[in-house]
């Protein structure tokens, strides 16, 4: 029987036998029985899992692109982000994540090169269950009361969360604007590690969800914050609230040849990916962390260390140095040498840690090895652990209950006593601690039961492995002491909230754990555990060279990321969310689709007010009376229809409702009611612009006063506005902007009937390209390097500097950083102690329109009027020329 089949059967057994002291969490996930609509799409698999659902289908002949949607038992479809759609060669797959428990339907559309849907299928009845949020990380006595990271405790994304997709292709190049000072200024960080490093300053309080798609090798990374571990997640100070999730998508997400170090961090969730051949530890919670939840991970061998006990790596999941309120749950430890160190020698106060429903699968030792800490260990499956199970030293206390020990000859050990004292200090020479044990089960299958070495207080009241109690709430008396050190059990489990919400019967532990531990559906590696003898040898702790070689040669099965059939992988990398995960991209990205091969790519963009003499016009409109909008009703979450993205929350919804008006001879039957004042994150709509454009809006104020529709970028920088009275009318505003544009009411409710975008886009021969990269495969062969702008550099073009574009004294605009004396409608004001800092990636001429006093650029001082300064490639600072009078700059032009 295959390993996958065992997991499936285990799920069925768990569903039948599971018991709980609180709410029962479903554990079996079976493909739904579904009626398909008439379609040429053949769905090969569809199911729900923990707070996610997925669908797999065979390629459709003639399809150029796939779009996938998800909806609950009621409501409308939400489009999935493009990176959630992947090709595996013989099949396609899409995963919807961030779903609350319930029943869902997923829909797949196949589109041809013209953008028309040629096939479609729906899969309904997909049952999604909640993750088991239990243990110390969720204790009512913990610092933040939760460790759901970027998610709410119901499984949906937090309002305003930022989602960043990390793929092998984007780990170095992904960009995100992070708030970088107390005044709200932002800095653009590039790369997985660099973005996380930017968050260390602590000024950006949004939730961040990093989604790993495919296998990220160390060679794919931009940098490492930790030379020992790899990726470093670090807070500004001890126990800083990070609101961060790092998660894998699907069954095959992993990181390889590095691990993760977490320091000074609070409220972090790590879930659903594998770690192979890590540098030192797979995951190290090192120094002053709290509310950390590590679950559904697959942990494999690490790099071989220099010591004899480091043949399989130095460590797997370690927690130490003042880290507290941590939960490790539903993780799969694959033949690890040292599974989890829990505490150093330096902790001066209790640290509360929980291990539950982990599968210690032929792992050798440290399940965990405890020093100083207070640890709850329940419902774990100790499956042929060759050296020992739980180890206790240095005055720690552990409550070990209802765990299932199979072929584990030394299930519990305390340093210097009991089983450890019988040998040569086989476990540790350190001082001991005390283990409280309740209702654990010891069984043997491949080994003789006579090999069991377990001594309780009934056999020896002084030299025992554990103190057995008759009820889980019983206290351990002070007469039971560690032989070495003389410490007693601290009875932490009777005095603080364990948050153990779901405790399964010990007999059901193997079926529950094997069905649900590790990555979704058991992960993609190894495909068959029976291929590796070490996983079936109950006594050996040698390294399985074939197993390790398979890790070394492992390659991601993903052929392509993104729904486009041909061309390069989609590079949608940053998505700012209003409510949940299954939505299209916005923020600092601009998605462009070529009509030739439907290759979807992303370029990071900068504002550019230059226009080209060679151009073509295009128009796009969204009429809320059209069928695709009119049935939407109240909008309480983000979704995208035909390129128009709605941003709403349950607290600040919008609504499409019936209302009949006629404007300039055109009848409208439905309207979008904004519901009140908005910002980019809610009560707004957004779409993409590319250069000089006219935005036309047909709307009315719902009151007697004149109300304003604001046109802004994602940071709220005002690009234009349109005023409306109580009678419906059509107004327009001209803008010159490339990127995501947001429309929202500046105050009270406005009813919008239609939005239209008329674009005059520059041709590829124009020298005024505003993109900061040229990742699109549709670029004309006539494009030269001079039209490609490096990340962070100012694009060639003209920039108006006034309060409409530079919205504060310390602002970032068009990749220029402003720290000026003041700004008004006439321009920005500088004196000698003020600056405008920017980078140019080529030799060019900067032309400035200056009044008042002159300016200084790179050591060159100019007069007033229209002045020109020659620049070479590099970073420059503009200052005012005097300390007592203003220099006013109203316009800057960069031309190569």
């Amino acid at each position: 029987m295959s390993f996958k089949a065992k997991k499936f059967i285990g799920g069925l057994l768990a569903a039948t036998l599971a018991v709980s002291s609180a709410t029962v969490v479903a554990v079996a996930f079976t493909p739904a029985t579904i009626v398909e609509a008439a379609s040429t799409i053949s769905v090969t698999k569809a199911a729900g899992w923990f707070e996610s659902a997925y669908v797999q289908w065979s390629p459709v002949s003639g399809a150029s692109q796939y779009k996938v949607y998800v909806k609950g038992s009621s409501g409308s479809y939400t489009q999935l982000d493009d990176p959630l759609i992947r090709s595996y060669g013989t099949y396609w797959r899409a995963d919807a994540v961030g779903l609350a428990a319930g029943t869902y339907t997923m829909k797949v559309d196949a589109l041809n090169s013209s953008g028309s849907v040629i096939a479609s299928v729906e899969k309904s009845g997909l049952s999604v269950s909640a993750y088991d949020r239990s243990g110390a990380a969720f204790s009512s006595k913990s610092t933040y009361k939760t460790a759901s990271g970027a998610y709410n405790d119901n499984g949906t994304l937090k309002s305003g969360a930022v989602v960043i997709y990390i793929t092998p292709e984007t780990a170095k190049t992904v960009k995100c604007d992070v708030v970088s000072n107390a005044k709200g200024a932002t800095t653009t960080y590039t790369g997985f590690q660099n973005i996380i490093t930017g968050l260390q300053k602590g000024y950006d309080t949004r939730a961040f969800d990093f989604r790993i798609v495919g296998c990220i090798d160390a060679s794919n990374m931009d940098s490492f914050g930790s030379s020992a571990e790899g990726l470093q997640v670090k807070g500004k100070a001890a126990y800083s609230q990070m609101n961060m999730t790092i998660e894998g998508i699907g069954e095959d997400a992993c990181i390889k040849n590095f691990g993760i170090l977490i320091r000074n961090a609070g409220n972090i969730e790590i879930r659903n990916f594998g770690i192979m051949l890590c540098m030192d530890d797979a995951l190290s919670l090192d120094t002053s962390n709290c509310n950390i939840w590590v679950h559904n991970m697959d942990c494999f061998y690490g790099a071989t260390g220099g010591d004899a006990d480091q043949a399989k790596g130095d460590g797997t999941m370690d927690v130490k140095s003042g880290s507290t309120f941590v939960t490790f749950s539903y993780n799969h430890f694959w033949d690890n040498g040292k599974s989890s160190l829990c505490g150093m020698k330096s902790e001066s106060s209790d640290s509360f840690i929980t291990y539950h429903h982990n599968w210690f699968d032929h792992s050798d030792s440290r399940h965990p090895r405890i020093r100083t800490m207070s640890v709850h260990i329940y419902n774990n499956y100790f499956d042929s652990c060759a050296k020992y199970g739980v180890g206790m030293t240095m005055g720690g206390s552990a409550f070990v209950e209802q765990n299932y020990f199979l072929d584990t000859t030394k299930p519990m050990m305390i340093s210097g006593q009991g089983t450890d004292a019988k040998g040569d200090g086989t476990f540790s020479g350190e001082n001991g601690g005390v283990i409280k044990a309740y209702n654990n089960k010891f069984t043997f299958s491949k080994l003789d039961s006579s090999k069991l070495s377990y001594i309780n207080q009934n056999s020896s009241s002084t030299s025992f492995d554990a103190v057995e109690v008759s009820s889980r709430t019983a206290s351990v008396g002070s007469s039971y002491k560690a032989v070495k050190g003389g410490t007693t059990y601290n009875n932490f489990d009777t005095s603080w909230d364990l948050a153990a919400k779901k405790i399964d019967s010990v007999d059901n532990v193997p079926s529950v754990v094997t069905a649900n531990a590790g990555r979704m559906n058991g992960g993609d590696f190894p495909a068959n555990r029976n291929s590796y003898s070490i996983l079936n040898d109950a006594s050996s702790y040698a390294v399985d060279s074939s197993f390790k070689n398979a890790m070394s040669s492992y390659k991601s099965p993903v052929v392509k990321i993104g729904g486009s059939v041909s061309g390069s992988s989609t590079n949608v990398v940053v998505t700012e969310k209003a409510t949940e995960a299954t939505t299209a991209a916005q923020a600092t990205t601009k998605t462009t689709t070529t009509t030739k091969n439907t290759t979807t790519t992303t370029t990071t963009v900068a504002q550019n007010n230059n226009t080209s003499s060679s151009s073509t016009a295009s128009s796009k409109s969204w009429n809320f009376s059209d069928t695709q909008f009119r049935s939407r009703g109240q909008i309480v979450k983000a979704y995208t229809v035909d390129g128009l993205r709605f941003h709403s929350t349950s607290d600040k919804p919008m609504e499409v409702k019936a209302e009949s008006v006629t404007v300039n001879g055109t009848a409208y039957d439905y309207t979008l009611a904004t519901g009140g004042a908005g910002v980019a994150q809610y009560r707004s709509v957004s779409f993409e612009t590319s250069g000089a454009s006219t935005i036309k809006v047909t709307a009315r104020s719902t009151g007697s006063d004149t109300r304003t529709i604001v046109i802004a970028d994602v940071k709220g920088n005002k690009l234009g506005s349109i005023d409306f009275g109580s009678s419906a009318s059509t107004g327009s505003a001209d803008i010159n902007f490339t990127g995501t544009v947001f429309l929202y009411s500046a105050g009270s409710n406005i009813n919008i009937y239609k939005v239209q975008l008329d674009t005059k886009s520059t041709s590829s021969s124009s020298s005024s390209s505003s993109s900061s990269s040229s990742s699109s495969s549709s670029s004309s062969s006539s494009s030269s390097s001079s039209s490609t702008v490096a990340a962070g550099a100012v694009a060639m073009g003209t920039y108006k500097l006034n309060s409409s574009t530079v919205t504060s004294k310390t602002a970032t605009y068009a990749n220029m950083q402003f720290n000026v004396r003041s700004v008004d409608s006439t321009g920005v004001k500088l004196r000698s102690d003020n600056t405008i800092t920017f980078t140019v990636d080529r030799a060019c001429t900067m032309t400035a329109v200056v009044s008042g006093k002159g300016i200084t650029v790179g050591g060159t001082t100019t007069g007033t009027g229209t002045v020109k300064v020659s620049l070479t490639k590099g970073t420059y600072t503009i200052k005012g020329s005097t300390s007592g009078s203003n220099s006013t700059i109203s316009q800057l032009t960069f031309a190569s």
Side-chain angles (χ1 to χ4, degrees):
M1 181 183 296
S2 72
F3 174 52
K4 301 281 186 174
K6 287 181 179 178
K7 295 268 288 186
F8 172 69
I9 292 171
L12 293 178
L13 288 171
T16 304
L17 300 175
V19 297
S20 171
S21 61
T23 304
V24 176
V25 177
V27 293
F29 303 97
T30 57
T33 302
I34 301 143
V35 178
E36 294 187 17
S39 169
T40 57
I41 297 182
S42 174
V43 172
T44 58
K45 191 175 182 182
W49 196 59
F50 293 119
E51 294 169 21
S52 63
Y54 64 96
V55 59
Q56 294 180 187
W57 67 94
S58 299
V60 175
S61 177
S64 292
Q65 185 182 10
Y66 297 101
K67 293 184 178 181
V68 184
Y69 308 82
V70 66
K71 69 176 180 179
S73 55
S74 61
S76 56
Y77 276 118
T78 297
Q79 185 176 345
L80 269 61
D81 287 342
D82 202 50
L84 298 172
I85 308 170
R86 293 97 67 207
S87 170
Y88 292 82
T90 59
Y91 67 92
W92 286 79
R93 175 173 172 133
D95 287 74
V97 295
L99 305 179
T103 302
Y104 290 83
T105 299
M106 295 187 72
K107 177 186 177 184
V108 181
D109 284 345
L111 287 68
N112 61 19
S113 58
S114 299
S116 299
V117 176
I118 59 174
S120 183
V121 68
E122 290 182 307
K123 285 290 186 180
S124 60
L126 307 180
S127 179
V128 171
S129 293
Y131 280 116
D132 181 2
R133 287 174 168 81
S134 297
F138 298 91
S139 172
S140 61
K141 291 191 176 183
S142 67
T143 307
Y144 297 115
K145 310 296 188 295
T146 185
S148 290
Y151 287 90
N152 299 305
D153 284 346
N154 69 352
T156 61
L157 268 179
K158 291 179 177 176
S159 178
V162 181
V163 173
I164 302 178
Y165 289 93
I166 308 298
T167 73
E169 292 77 18
T170 68
K172 290 180 180 178
T173 60
V174 57
K175 296 178 183 295
C176 184
D177 287 346
V178 176
V179 179
S180 52
N181 67 24
K183 296 181 179 180
T186 61
T187 300
T188 301
Y189 290 89
T190 302
F192 187 11
Q193 176 67 81
N194 284 334
I195 293 171
I196 292 178
T197 300
L199 294 172
Q200 180 180 332
K201 295 181 178 180
Y203 294 112
D204 204 320
T205 58
R206 295 174 295 176
F208 280 78
D209 182 19
F210 294 89
R211 293 177 175 170
I212 296 170
V213 185
C215 185
I216 312 300
D217 188 78
S219 62
N220 301 134
M221 290 291 292
D222 55 313
S223 62
F224 286 131
S226 168
S227 59
E229 312 291 358
L231 182 71
Q232 177 175 264
V233 180
K234 187 177 181 181
K236 183 177 182 179
Y239 310 110
S240 297
Q241 187 168 12
M242 303 293 284
N243 295 324
M244 182 187 297
T245 291
I246 302 176
E247 64 175 319
I249 299 300
E251 300 171 7
D252 48 47
C254 71
I255 62 175
K256 187 175 176 183
N257 295 312
F258 68 98
I260 301 175
L261 172 67
I262 301 178
R263 283 181 172 168
N264 294 342
N267 192 17
I268 287 186
E269 177 190 22
I270 308 291
R271 76 185 193 194
N272 196 42
F273 59 93
I275 303 179
M276 291 182 179
L277 303 175
C278 58
M279 296 155 57
D280 189 60
D281 294 340
L283 179 68
S284 178
L285 307 183
D286 182 348
T287 311
S288 301
N289 303 291
C290 68
N291 294 94
I292 310 294
W293 182 27
V294 182
H295 64 107
N296 292 98
M297 298 287 290
D298 280 325
C299 292
F300 302 98
Y301 287 166
T304 301
D307 295 339
D309 64 350
Q310 295 177 336
K312 299 178 181 180
D314 180 53
T316 308
M317 292 184 182
D318 289 357
V319 53
K320 53 195 175 183
S321 302
S323 296
T324 185
F325 296 115
V326 175
T327 293
F328 297 101
S329 60
Y330 294 92
N331 299 296
H332 193 164
F333 295 83
W334 293 85
D335 194 36
N336 299 115
K338 294 184 285 186
S339 297
S340 186
L341 174 65
C342 190
M344 296 295 285
K345 301 178 183 180
S346 58
E347 289 84 4
S348 58
S349 61
D350 283 333
S351 295
F352 300 106
I353 316 294
T354 301
Y355 294 80
H356 72 88
H357 292 92
N358 298 288
W359 186 358
F360 298 114
D361 188 0
H362 197 274
S363 50
D364 301 337
S365 64
R366 298 189 176 183
H367 310 97
R369 174 187 176 131
I370 302 164
R371 292 188 181 115
T372 73
M373 294 185 170
S374 300
V375 187
H376 188 199
I377 303 166
Y378 71 91
N379 280 175
N380 299 281
Y381 183 28
F382 294 80
D383 183 358
S384 305
C385 298
K387 291 185 178 179
Y388 68 88
V390 178
M392 172 61 70
T393 71
M394 297 297 294
S397 295
F399 179 26
V400 181
E401 66 166 326
Q402 302 203 68
N403 299 278
Y404 195 103
F405 294 86
L406 173 65
D407 288 325
T408 299
T409 59
K410 300 178 180 68
M412 290 169 250
M413 298 183 75
I414 300 174
S415 178
Q417 64 188 68
T419 296
D420 191 45
K422 290 168 55 177
D424 300 320
T426 57
F427 165 50
S428 170
E430 297 171 345
N431 286 345
V434 178
I435 295 174
K436 168 184 170 179
Y438 171 71
N439 199 30
N440 298 286
K441 186 167 186 175
F442 311 127
T443 65
F444 289 86
S445 174
K446 297 173 183 176
L447 300 180
D448 193 302
S449 61
S450 64
K451 294 183 178 294
L452 175 66
S453 180
Y454 175 68
I455 302 168
N456 64 27
Q457 81 281 8
N458 296 323
S459 299
S460 173
S461 61
T462 56
S463 186
F464 48 81
D465 294 325
V467 178
E468 294 272 6
V469 293
S470 58
S471 71
R472 65 184 309 272
T473 58
S475 298
V476 175
S478 59
S479 61
Y480 296 108
K481 299 179 180 180
V483 171
K484 296 180 65 176
T487 55
T488 60
Y489 188 71
N490 66 9
N491 287 301
F492 72 97
D493 53 295
T494 63
S495 59
W496 68 283
D497 177 21
L498 298 175
K501 303 169 187 175
K502 173 185 179 292
I503 299 181
D504 291 296
S505 166
V506 66
D507 290 325
N508 297 340
V509 166
S511 60
V512 172
V513 171
T514 57
N516 298 305
R519 289 177 291 175
M520 173 186 280
N521 297 331
D524 71 319
F525 176 89
N528 183 359
R529 64 179 290 118
N530 292 323
S531 300
Y532 306 103
S533 59
I534 197 69
L535 298 176
N536 298 287
D537 188 333
S539 59
S540 173
Y541 48 86
V543 174
D544 187 327
S545 58
S546 62
F547 194 31
K548 189 169 187 177
N549 290 338
M551 296 174 206
S552 298
S553 60
Y554 173 84
K555 302 292 182 183
S556 172
V558 177
V559 174
K560 185 184 173 301
I561 298 170
S564 177
V565 172
S566 59
S568 60
S569 298
T570 302
N571 193 21
V572 179
V573 291
V574 180
T575 306
E576 294 197 11
K577 304 294 184 179
T579 51
E580 58 178 58
T582 52
T583 48
Q586 58 175 65
T588 61
T589 62
K590 171 199 168 193
T591 304
T592 58
T593 306
T594 68
T595 57
K596 181 177 179 181
N597 60 11
T598 69
T599 298
T600 304
T601 63
T602 297
T603 57
T604 303
V605 296
Q607 284 183 303
N608 191 330
N609 293 313
N610 195 18
T611 58
S612 170
S613 59
S614 175
S615 62
T616 58
S618 63
S619 182
K620 176 71 174 178
S621 64
W622 298 274
N623 186 334
F624 297 107
S625 296
D626 290 347
T627 303
Q628 59 187 340
F629 298 115
R630 62 193 300 163
S631 63
R632 294 288 162 176
Q634 190 176 66
I635 301 166
V636 296
K637 62 183 179 180
Y639 72 93
T640 303
V641 178
D642 193 24
L644 184 71
R645 180 161 170 74
F646 295 80
H647 306 272
S648 287
T649 69
S650 58
D651 293 334
K652 296 177 181 178
M654 297 188 291
E655 183 179 9
V656 177
K657 62 183 182 179
E659 181 176 285
S660 297
V661 300
T662 299
V663 182
N664 298 327
T666 301
Y668 300 94
D669 299 319
Y670 282 80
T671 186
L672 172 67
T674 62
V679 293
Q681 287 77 26
Y682 58 80
R683 287 179 179 158
S684 66
V685 293
S686 66
F687 47 86
E688 299 295 325
T689 60
S690 54
S693 307
T694 298
I695 296 174
K696 297 178 181 178
V697 179
T698 302
R700 73 173 181 89
S701 164
T702 60
S704 59
D705 56 327
T706 298
R707 297 176 182 176
T708 301
I709 288 285
V710 174
I711 304 167
D713 65 13
V714 69
K715 298 177 186 177
N717 297 321
K718 185 177 177 182
L719 306 175
S721 63
I722 309 172
D723 292 335
F724 295 95
S726 57
S727 297
S729 63
T730 299
S732 65
D734 294 327
I735 66 168
N736 200 339
F737 182 77
T738 299
T740 306
V741 167
F742 295 79
L743 273 62
Y744 49 81
S745 171
S748 300
N749 182 57
I750 295 177
N751 284 359
I752 304 174
Y753 307 96
K754 181 181 178 180
V755 177
Q756 181 170 324
L757 173 67
D758 296 329
T759 303
K760 186 179 182 181
S761 57
T762 57
S763 67
S764 61
S765 61
S766 169
S767 64
S768 63
S769 169
S770 63
S771 67
S772 62
S773 69
S774 57
S775 61
S776 173
S777 62
S778 63
S779 299
S780 169
S781 60
S782 65
S783 297
S784 67
S785 61
S786 64
S787 64
T788 302
V789 182
V794 175
M796 299 297 102
T798 299
Y799 300 88
K800 301 285 187 180
L801 306 185
N802 52 49
S803 54
S804 294
T805 54
V806 183
T807 56
S808 66
K809 291 188 295 183
T810 56
T812 300
Y813 164 67
N815 286 333
M816 293 181 280
Q817 182 65 53
F818 291 79
N819 187 358
V820 298
R821 185 174 182 82
S822 62
V823 56
D824 59 24
S825 60
T826 65
V828 296
K829 320 293 184 182
L830 302 96
R831 294 186 181 181
S832 58
D833 56 348
N834 305 125
T835 59
I836 303 173
T837 305
F838 60 90
T839 299
V840 293
D841 62 355
R842 70 201 70 190
C844 64
T845 299
M846 185 195 78
T847 302
V849 178
V850 185
S851 59
K853 299 293 182 177
I855 59 173
T856 299
V857 186
T860 300
T861 300
T862 74
T864 57
T866 301
V867 298
K868 294 186 178 182
V869 181
S870 295
L871 307 176
T872 58
K873 180 179 178 181
T875 300
Y876 291 88
T877 298
I878 301 174
K879 295 183 178 182
S881 60
T882 72
S883 60
S885 300
N886 288 335
S887 302
T888 300
I889 305 176
S890 59
Q891 182 173 294
L892 286 176
T893 301
F894 300 89
S896 53

